[in-house]
Every structure is written in C-alpha cells, then in structure tokens.
Amino acid sequence: MRRPVGNRAVFMVRNKAGEVKVFHNSCSHRGAVVCRKDSGNAKVFQCFYHAWSFDTDGKLVGVPDREAYGDGLDFGALGLRPVARVESYRGFVFLSYDPDIMGLVDYLAGAAEYLDLVVDATGDAEIIRGTNEYAIDANWKLLAENSIDGYHAVPTHDTYFKYLVSLGTDLSGGVAGTAKSLGNGHAVLEYAAPWGRPVAKWEPLFGEDSREEIGRLRADLVDKYGEARARRMADTNRNMLIYPNLVINDIMAITVRTFMPTSADRMEVTAWELAPRDELPQLRQRRLDSFLTFLGPGGFATPDDIEALESCQQGFHSGGLEWNDLSRGMARDPLANDEEQMRAFWRQWNSQVTGGAR
Amino acid sequence: MTALEPAPAVTGVHGVTRADVEDFLYAEAELLDAWELDTWIALFTADCRYVVPCNDTPEGDPTRDLVLIDDNALRLRSRVERLNSRKAHREYPHSTTSHQVSNVRLRPVEGEELPVVAEFTVWRFRGERSTTYVGRYAYRLRVVDGHLRIAAKRATLAMGSLRQVADVAIIL
Ligand code: FES
Ligand SMILES: [Fe+2]
C-alpha cells in the first residue's frame, strides 16, 4: 500500500513475519519509485529502471550483473530506507520522520482511551472499500478546527439536518456534551447522539427488523464492557482530532480522515469508513448511507464544509484579519459547541512552531 | 422554460434508436446546465437510482462499498431541494456547468430496460475556478407512457481522485 505522507512518497508492506514495514519509496540504486501501485500484494519489489529488487524487509535481494561491481559495493547496506519511526496502536499505523519523537502511546496521551472506545465498540473492524480523496483550497489547520467544531453544525449544515428530519429522524433530543483537550494537541468532543448509531442505538429509520439485532449488539457491549461504558459507546458521538492530522469521527458512521498540506493554501484530504466486518446488511446500508450523505464529498454537508474553509482562506487573504477568535467557552466548562478543543490544537502547534509557551 | 417532454415520443423500448437516446441525453444535459432540476428529476422513474462510485473503486457496489453518491428517488428529491435552496453553500451561487455527452452506444435490451453507455465531460465554472469531470455514464432506460425515463444512472469517474475538482456538489 503506498501513499504520500507529509508530501513524501512512502509505502507500507507486511513482511513474511506479518510485521508492518514502511519504506521511503525510492530505489537505493538511482532513486526510482519501487512500489508503483496504490495497493496489492507483492513478495518482491523490483525496480523497473535497472531491475534491482528488494524483499518485504527492504533487503536488496537482486542486482543484475552483480559481478560488474567486484567487491566495490556493500550490497547489504543498500536496502530500502525505512521511515524513521513507525508504530501502531489498535490497528492504526502512525509514522514520523523524526527519529527522536516520543513513543506512540505517550504521544497519544488521552487520545488512546478514545481510540480504545471506538475500536472496542466496533469489534472485528474493517475499512470499507471505496476511498474519498478530495482537496480543499485552504490551509490545513482550518480543517483541524472544522473537524472538531460543534458550533458550525447547525448554521452550515441546515440542508443535511432537513434531510435527516425528512427521513423521520427525531433531532429534538439535542447534542448536549463537552469538549476537552487530551494532551499533546489532541482533542475531542463527546455529545449525545440525536440520531441512530449502527453500533447499538436504534432509531425507526433502521427499520423494525433490525431492532432486535441492535438490541443484541447493545447487550453484547454491556456484557463485555459494563453498563456505563456500553452506554457511552452506543449513545454518544465523538469527534476526535489526533494531532496534527488524523480525525476519527465516531458519529452516525465512523470516519478515519487524514489531511496533508501541499502548500500554505491547499490540502489534500483522504477519508475512509470504518465498520464492523460482519455487520447485518441493513445496518451496513444505513452506515454507508450516513457516511456518504453527511461525510462524503458528494453528500449534503461536506461540500459546504469545503466551501466554508475556502471562504475563510479567501477572507484571511484579504489581510483584514490577523487572528481567529477561538475564545468561545473560556468563561465556562467547555461544551461541545465551544472552542476549547481548537485551543488545545493551537497551543500545541504554537509551542512546536515557535518553541513558545503551551 | 424547457419543455417538460424534452425527448421524442417512442412506442416501446425495442424500437428506440440511437438518435432517440441521444436526443434524450442531450435534453437531460441541457436541463442540468440550465439548473432546471425540478424538470430534470421528472425524467427519472419512481424506483430510480443515481450512483457515483468512489474514484478508486469504479466497480463499487453501493450495498457493500462506500460510494460518493447513492440516491434513490427520495434522496434524489432531497438533493434537488437542497440545490434549489440558498443553503447548499457550495453551490450558492450556482456553478455554470456544461454537460457534454458523447460516444453514445445502445446495448441489447434486457427485459423492459435499455442499457446505454456514453462518455461524459462536465465542466464546472465558479468564481475564478474551472474544473472538469470526465467519465462514463451507464444508464438503464425504460419507456413510461410513451417517453424514455431513467431507471438508473451511474457516473463512473475516469479521474484517479477528486483532488482536482474538490467535491461532487453538482449533479453529473
Ligand atoms: S534506479 Fe532502481 S534499479 Fe536503478
Ligand atoms: Fe461541518
């Protein structure tokens, strides 16, 4: 599997022992890209340029006309270059080009518990086939803000909520909840779900015949995790930002979204849908529908978020405004529609970029 | 106003010619470009489906795979209502679009349905931005009360991703 991370070409492969390896996608001979497909299976990566080949551990295993080098070259040292740091947590693989970065669990800080919550509730999980790959002509930090911005939902996404109501969803329960910083720039909103959640919160839209299945899923969660944690898994939503650029939205469907700046005023967004592997077809259908209507770039909401961020970018470009105002909720315990979670992101960003106070 | 019946009358699905289909698809394109969406949606059958698969999963099956758009009649109606309102911020004010349909080919009739494939190029202009969608349409057409109707429209994008076009806020 290959993709750019932070604008650099890398690829990830499972070696024979099943371990995840991530390499810079560049041949140690003269630099060509060695993995040229976005996904697939390979035991050997053969560079097409002069046909050097590498195994799944990155070891150089084939050099045509090797004798031409005599003893002049140490082939053992000419493997693919691994990315400096790669660690995974609950199936999510993280990488860093900084060899001195802290360990992943320390890095995740309070976000690890929220990842646990999402992964435990999903059980045997898979990423559904079909990727959303779009772009926004705006600074990447605006999407970090937007992904955990509860304040904009009602005014910006009016047409989406109208659509939900037209389907018979009762939104009157509201979205009361809290916002908090999870350390190291990570942050989360957690709030009551006014809509159904295929993990285990039924609503009429799911159909009478899935009521029993959802009840069973819920009882399972209670068995495994106790009443309080199960209720949290089933009945509350989470929008989480893992600093700097991973968003897990556990709402009516679960998104896994990353975004990478390609310049100061453009970012590329990639999003996937996470779901239990063996889900009842009608629950899977609801989950797919929810994702594409709300979270997808052809849906009833995400295009408007894109418009909002591009609009901010154009606005900032006018030069009339030097700073965002993110003070909402500073005078109270922050609610889900306040801005504490964005302050957490910016404090971390500020300390990294300026070395200043957090 | 464009006439409500933009295509010539046809007697049955078997006698339909490529010229009939081309007239029909060009008329559909004209309605989309004129943003006459209430007239446009009347071209669809009550059990219709409008699907746009993800760029990396062109064969995507909306019952199993994530797709970009998967509208039944109800959701298509909501999409049109949204686009007719001032609250579809991405499309208010509307883009100027040009839907160009070509390489129209009729496949053998299946039951009461005529499968049709065509290539499309859809230009979208908004503000200073110009973007282009390129891909293939697969239609399933039926004859209802003497007129062609769309039972299914699937727009498979040829672009490897949506990066250049940002989103699919318009109807392809
Ligand atoms: S650049 Fe890869 S073999 Fe020469
Ligand atoms: Fe939004």
Side-chain angles (χ1 to χ4, degrees):
Chain A
M1 148 111 42
R2 68 156 191 178
R3 74 173 63 107
V5 177
N7 256 338
R8 305 192 199 185
V10 300
F11 72 100
M12 176 168 103
V13 63
R14 250 178 227 289
N15 69 8
K16 286 206 194 80
E19 300 154 340
V20 167
K21 301 277 172 179
V22 184
F23 300 105
H24 292 269
N25 197 355
S26 180
C27 178
S28 53
H29 177 228
R30 297 249 293 275
V33 160
V34 292
C35 172
R36 296 170 71 226
K37 279 174 130 184
D38 291 336
S39 63
N41 288 305
K43 288 201 182 78
V44 169
F45 294 89
Q46 186 177 60
C47 179
F48 78 92
Y49 195 8
H50 311 90
W52 283 26
S53 45
F54 305 87
D55 69 11
T56 52
D57 282 307
K59 210 167 100 221
L60 179 61
V61 293
V63 176
D65 305 326
R66 193 183 279 246
E67 53 293 350
Y69 290 95
D71 291 331
L73 210 51
D74 177 5
F75 292 107
L78 282 173
L80 292 172
R81 172 102 166 265
V83 165
R85 292 288 296 274
V86 178
E87 279 188 57
S88 59
Y89 184 80
R90 310 276 341 238
F92 291 86
V93 179
F94 294 77
L95 68 84
S96 175
Y97 301 115
D98 174 5
D100 301 321
I101 196 169
M102 68 180 86
L104 179 60
V105 171
D106 288 337
Y107 179 82
L108 288 173
E113 183 208 340
Y114 281 83
L115 270 180
D116 290 343
L117 202 64
V118 173
V119 174
D120 288 343
T122 311
D124 183 16
E126 67 176 341
I127 291 284
I128 297 176
R129 266 167 28 106
T131 311
N132 289 173
E133 295 168 284
Y134 53 105
I136 306 178
D137 282 325
N139 187 276
W140 68 279
K141 298 188 285 303
L142 293 172
L143 184 58
E145 290 180 351
N146 171 270
S147 298
I148 45 172
D149 176 6
Y151 190 30
H152 82 291
V154 170
T156 302
H157 300 312
D158 184 75
T159 65
Y160 177 71
F161 294 119
K162 270 213 182 77
Y163 163 71
L164 276 192
V165 169
S166 80
L167 292 180
T169 299
D170 177 8
L171 295 176
S172 62
V175 290
T178 55
K180 66 178 174 207
S181 160
L182 298 169
N184 291 337
H186 320 310
V188 71
L189 311 180
E190 194 164 17
Y191 51 99
W195 40 69
R197 289 168 47 84
V199 271
K201 180 174 183 280
W202 187 82
E203 70 164 327
L205 192 50
F206 288 157
E208 254 337 293
D209 49 334
S210 52
R211 198 169 195 153
E212 207 174 297
E213 169 74 2
I214 289 192
R216 199 181 58 72
L217 292 172
R218 195 179 182 109
D220 267 7
L221 292 180
V222 173
D223 270 2
K224 279 197 199 126
Y225 303 109
E227 182 66 46
R229 190 166 152 84
R231 197 174 323 117
R232 202 167 152 215
M233 287 168 164
D235 297 342
T236 62
N237 287 320
R238 279 154 291 281
N239 294 49
M240 174 163 62
L241 172 71
I242 295 184
Y243 183 91
N245 68 336
L246 171 64
V247 168
I248 309 282
N249 283 341
D250 177 14
I251 41 182
M252 60 291 275
I254 306 170
T255 63
V256 178
R257 174 198 285 165
T258 65
F259 41 103
M260 312 274 173
T262 57
S263 66
D265 56 3
R266 182 172 168 86
M267 75 184 104
E268 293 186 346
V269 187
T270 308
W272 298 269
E273 178 165 18
L274 184 77
R277 201 178 297 276
D278 296 311
E279 194 167 35
L280 222 55
Q282 65 264 39
L283 295 186
R284 174 59 66 94
Q285 190 68 66
R286 278 304 310 150
R287 190 186 288 277
L288 288 166
D289 286 358
S290 289
F291 193 102
L292 68 93
T293 53
F294 185 52
L295 300 155
F300 295 1
T302 290
D304 298 330
D305 286 314
I306 297 173
E307 182 68 10
L309 306 196
E310 292 188 351
S311 161
C312 294
Q313 187 68 36
Q314 289 158 21
F316 289 130
H317 193 70
S318 88
L321 185 68
E322 268 179 282
W323 304 104
N324 254 348
D325 187 308
L326 290 172
S327 62
R328 194 176 153 86
M330 277 176 83
R332 61 181 180 192
D333 284 341
L335 303 180
N337 58 4
D338 285 334
E339 289 163 346
E340 164 60 20
Q341 64 284 12
M342 297 170 219
R343 295 192 290 274
F345 167 84
W346 280 102
R347 281 193 294 264
Q348 178 76 5
W349 182 84
N350 186 53
S351 91
Q352 286 192 321
V353 168
T354 68
R358 315 252 292 246
Chain B
M1 275 296 283
T2 314
L4 191 66
E5 285 306 342
V10 292
T11 47
V13 75
H14 286 278
V16 174
T17 65
R18 186 167 75 202
D20 293 333
V21 171
E22 283 174 347
D23 283 348
F24 180 69
L25 297 186
Y26 297 164
E28 188 207 356
E30 189 175 8
L31 289 172
L32 285 170
D33 291 339
W35 288 92
E36 303 254 8
L37 300 183
D38 290 316
T39 310
W40 171 76
I41 202 175
L43 301 180
F44 285 77
T45 64
D47 59 350
C48 67
R49 201 82 181 250
Y50 166 54
V51 170
V52 182
C54 287
N55 303 70
D56 68 340
T57 319
E59 71 291 3
D61 168 359
T63 67
R64 251 194 3 239
D65 306 321
L66 182 60
V67 296
L68 295 169
I69 291 173
D70 176 26
D71 288 353
N72 57 16
L74 182 73
R75 200 177 296 152
L76 197 58
R77 170 46 55 201
S78 297
R79 186 175 297 278
V80 164
E81 268 164 31
R82 167 180 150 81
L83 287 170
N84 281 339
S85 82
R86 293 164 158 246
K87 297 276 180 79
H89 308 291
R90 190 60 168 167
E91 276 302 320
Y92 185 79
H94 286 319
S95 301
T96 300
T97 65
S98 173
H99 285 69
Q100 310 194 355
V101 185
S102 61
N103 303 18
V104 175
R105 283 144 296 164
L106 278 51
R107 304 292 198 218
V109 171
E110 293 173 13
E112 290 306 304
E113 287 181 354
L114 174 66
V116 169
V117 293
E119 297 297 305
F120 67 82
T121 306
V122 178
W123 291 89
R124 179 187 186 193
F125 301 95
R126 183 161 181 252
E128 292 296 298
R129 193 207 295 263
S130 134
T131 53
T132 319
Y133 300 78
V134 177
R136 171 172 290 192
Y137 288 138
Y139 285 94
R140 296 188 76 85
L141 303 179
R142 258 185 241 153
V143 175
V144 179
D145 297 333
H147 291 281
L148 286 170
R149 288 287 178 266
I150 302 167
K153 174 177 181 176
R154 184 180 167 105
T156 304
L157 295 165
M159 308 106 75
S161 79
L162 290 178
R163 308 267 195 232
Q164 293 305 317
V165 294
D167 57 63
V168 210
I170 57 164
I171 292 168
L172 291 179

